Amino acid sequence: MKTIKAKVQADNPVTESSLDKAIERGELRRKNSLQATAVTYLPPCLAVSFEDGSGVLLPVANYPEFDDFEGEELASLTVGYAGTALCHEGKDLHVSIAGLISASKPLMAMAASVVASRNGRQSSAAKSEAARANGKKGGRPRKVDVVLPVPTKKPS
């Protein structure tokens, strides 16, 4: 296990530039995270809406967290924790939206497919250079089937 020593920064003054950097980091983190804006109960599912206008339907029956909930309690769920959780104050419930989505095998399979597709399209400087070098040589070499000679038995 790797040990990381904490840095003591209690005496660092807050300046305009450090505040601007912190705000910038926060905005970047917000843009790259799951940000739900609303939850609606549409029997038998919860409809979770996100900042970009997309949404997902989660069947309540698939999640044991909601087993003892009635219809009006499901309808009174709210989005909390900066858009990352579904909350019900009366039942003291706080459930991660990412956790609910990751519990669904079809949604995770689709997410894995999307990530693989997106990662396959990414290009690095080394990949671009290799493509240019191959292009100068006439492109990717064709696969050639190599036929090995079949050994023959010698008469004894």
Side-chain angles (χ1 to χ4, degrees), residues 13-29:
V14 177
T15 62
E16 283 294 323
S17 68
S18 67
L19 187 59
D20 290 341
K21 287 179 185 176
I23 291 171
E24 193 174 301
R25 282 193 312 270
E27 283 296 315
L28 183 63
R29 186 178 304 129

Side-chain angles (χ1 to χ4, degrees), residues 13-92:
V14 177
T15 62
E16 283 294 323
S17 68
S18 67
L19 187 59
D20 290 341
K21 287 179 185 176
I23 291 171
E24 193 174 301
R25 282 193 312 270
E27 283 296 315
L28 183 63
R29 186 178 304 129
R30 186 184 64 78
K31 287 179 184 174
N32 291 330
S33 67
L34 189 66
Q35 296 289 314
T37 55
V39 59
T40 308
Y41 179 55
L42 304 171
C45 297
L46 290 172
V48 181
S49 304
F50 298 100
E51 274 188 326
D52 66 351
S54 64
V56 64
L57 288 175
L58 303 171
V60 175
N62 292 356
Y63 303 101
E65 295 89 345
F66 302 117
D67 283 349
D68 61 339
F69 276 66
E70 298 296 324
E72 65 251 3
E73 292 170 325
L74 289 167
S76 64
L77 284 170
T78 59
V79 175
Y81 292 96
T84 62
L86 298 182
C87 304
H88 191 282
E89 295 306 319
K91 294 208 177 233
D92 195 30

